[in-house]
Amino acid sequence: MGVSRALLDVTPLRTSPDFRRLWIGGLLSGLGGQMAVVAVLYQVWESTRSTIWTGAAGLAQALPIIVFGLFAGALVDRVDRRRFYLATKIGQAVCAVLLTVQAFTGGSATLVLVLVAVQSLFVAGGGPASRTFLSRLLPAGQLGAGLALNRISFQGAMLIGPALGGLVISEVGVGGCFLVHTVTFAVALWTAIRLPPMPASPAPGLTGVRAGLRFLHTNPAVRGALLTDLAATVLAMPISLFPVVNAERFGDDPRTLGLFLTAIAVGGVVASALSGTFTRARRPGAVMLAGALTWGVALALFGVAPNAWAGLALLAVAGAADTVAVVARSTVVQRHTPDEFLGRAAAAEQIVGQAGPDVGNLRAGLVAAGSSATAALVSGGLLCVAAVAAIAARTPELRKPDIR
């Protein structure tokens, strides 16, 4: 494979003006969103000095997506998806304006969490809608490249947004972060307005949450893709263990703790930059399985890493494997889901992506409390490998080449 074919494939940005505008809007709104996350945590902590309240901030963001995601996905499959997406972006923008106003007028932690929860309710609808766009805007052969481009924009926002948010807070306060958040939503609204109409395919009798759940259960490839993601996150998510690992094995140096998360993000960015090596593959299911297996092995080895540098290298490998698995999983879901079910499948993917890491971090913390962080990491990584291997063995559809 030539060097150019190994690098991130930017063909969708060159050939599709609608995708290009959508991608730019997503990149900017993602950057503003990450700055807002820092602002929310900072304001809630400054108002309460309570870790319970800062934990509640994450819960306020996750619960609406988990509870209402499938219902929103069913609605996406019945309406014009562009109009629905535009409505959700307007709702998010209004919440961003209100967060900005309360920050400059001395709002309370309770008000912040309420606004975060309402904004997340709109995300529960807008997320599945936006995931259906790629199959309308790009040919089938460019789906993987489009997903990889979306992934690297997300990772770029994760890398830059929090640091930029901290700088803005130090200079002008949390209101400045929320103001940037609002401006970036204005860009996202512009990109949504410029999208072509995207009416849902008429599908009598195939609408509703129950039909969506039945589809997810009976489609082996989509079911296997979602189960693989759950196996990787629920069984092997390591982030809640980083503080105790850092304290027990690496001198409790806060610089090392910060590098743990950075290493995962750097690995993901590198994998995205070289995503041409896997987005063109004819077996995205097999690529997904390989990525999930590598994730589990890398985290098990991180549990016994002899020094901080080896640990950081293994976390970078895990981050790269996660990106490969996520992009390939989304490719599998997109290619094996009929248009009339795409909103509900996208909602299920969003719920799995939101709930899996939260449950996985809880599992890791409980196991470590009853044994040790090393035991939690090693057992989680090995369980992930075993579960993914079982899914691969029972789901031959994931190992077959796609027909384009």
Side-chain angles (χ1 to χ4, degrees):
M1 176 181 290
V3 174
S4 62
R5 286 182 62 82
L7 297 176
L8 178 70
D9 184 0
V10 297
T11 303
L13 292 176
R14 292 200 310 265
T15 60
S16 174
D18 290 321
F19 176 81
R20 183 168 60 246
R21 283 190 290 266
L22 187 67
W23 187 82
I24 292 171
L27 174 63
L28 293 177
S29 62
L31 184 64
Q34 289 299 317
M35 293 176 65
V37 167
V38 176
V40 166
L41 288 175
Y42 185 84
Q43 185 177 354
V44 169
W45 173 252
E46 287 295 309
S47 300
T48 65
R49 293 286 169 176
S50 168
T51 56
I52 295 176
W53 276 88
T54 54
L59 193 63
Q61 186 175 19
L63 272 182
I65 294 174
I66 295 170
V67 174
F68 298 107
L70 277 179
F71 296 96
L75 185 57
V76 167
D77 285 332
R78 299 184 62 179
V79 299
D80 185 298
R81 290 162 177 170
R82 170 192 168 274
R83 291 183 179 179
F84 185 77
Y85 177 72
L86 181 58
T88 63
K89 282 299 179 185
I90 291 172
Q92 291 176 66
V94 170
C95 291
V97 170
L98 294 176
L99 282 167
T100 305
V101 171
Q102 67 79 32
F104 283 117
T105 57
S108 65
T110 301
L111 177 59
V112 171
L113 295 190
V114 168
L115 289 173
V116 167
V118 174
Q119 191 174 57
S120 189
L121 185 62
F122 288 111
V123 173
S130 66
R131 288 170 186 254
T132 68
F133 292 163
L134 263 66
S135 61
R136 299 285 186 96
L137 299 178
L138 300 174
Q142 293 182 19
L143 276 178
L147 290 165
L149 285 164
N150 284 344
R151 182 71 179 174
I152 200 170
S153 73
F154 167 77
Q155 290 164 331
M158 286 282 289
L159 274 174
I160 300 171
L164 187 57
L167 290 174
V168 172
I169 290 172
S170 67
E171 294 296 327
V172 297
V174 294
C177 278
F178 288 130
L179 182 59
V180 173
H181 184 44
T182 302
V183 172
T184 60
F185 266 116
V187 178
L189 279 173
W190 173 75
T191 63
I193 291 170
R194 298 290 301 275
L195 288 171
M198 296 187 189
S201 301
L206 296 180
T207 55
V209 174
R210 186 176 301 174
L213 291 172
R214 186 164 57 250
F215 166 76
L216 296 173
H217 176 70
T218 57
N219 187 294
V222 175
R223 183 183 67 238
L226 296 178
L227 287 176
T228 299
D229 190 67
L230 281 175
T233 53
V234 171
L235 297 177
M237 202 68 190
I239 292 174
S240 65
L241 300 176
F242 284 172
V244 65
V245 170
N246 189 50
E248 290 178 354
R249 305 184 59 191
F250 302 125
D252 205 18
D253 188 336
R255 293 171 297 180
T256 307
L257 180 61
L259 287 175
F260 285 165
L261 283 171
T262 300
I264 291 179
V266 167
V269 169
V270 171
S272 293
L274 299 174
S275 58
T277 56
F278 58 88
T279 56
R280 295 182 174 93
R282 292 195 60 215
R283 300 174 186 264
V287 171
M288 175 195 69
L289 294 169
L293 288 170
T294 304
W295 160 267
V297 171
L299 291 175
L301 292 174
F302 170 70
V304 294
N307 55 63
W309 289 112
L312 291 172
L314 287 164
L315 289 176
V317 171
D322 178 56
T323 289
V324 171
V326 168
V327 172
R329 181 203 70 212
S330 295
T331 303
V332 170
V333 172
Q334 290 275 336
R335 290 183 181 171
H336 287 83
T337 303
D339 186 77
E340 64 266 23
F341 281 112
L342 201 52
R344 281 161 286 183
E349 197 179 2
Q350 179 174 263
I351 292 169
V352 166
Q354 183 76 47
D358 290 338
V359 175
N361 280 317
L362 176 61
R363 182 214 67 87
L366 292 174
V367 173
S371 54
S372 68
T374 297
L377 283 164
V378 174
S379 65
L382 294 179
L383 284 172
C384 168
V385 169
V388 173
I391 293 168
R394 295 176 60 88
T395 316
E397 291 82 359
L398 290 175
R399 307 193 303 270
K400 296 177 180 177
D402 278 359
I403 300 174
R404 298 183 183 176

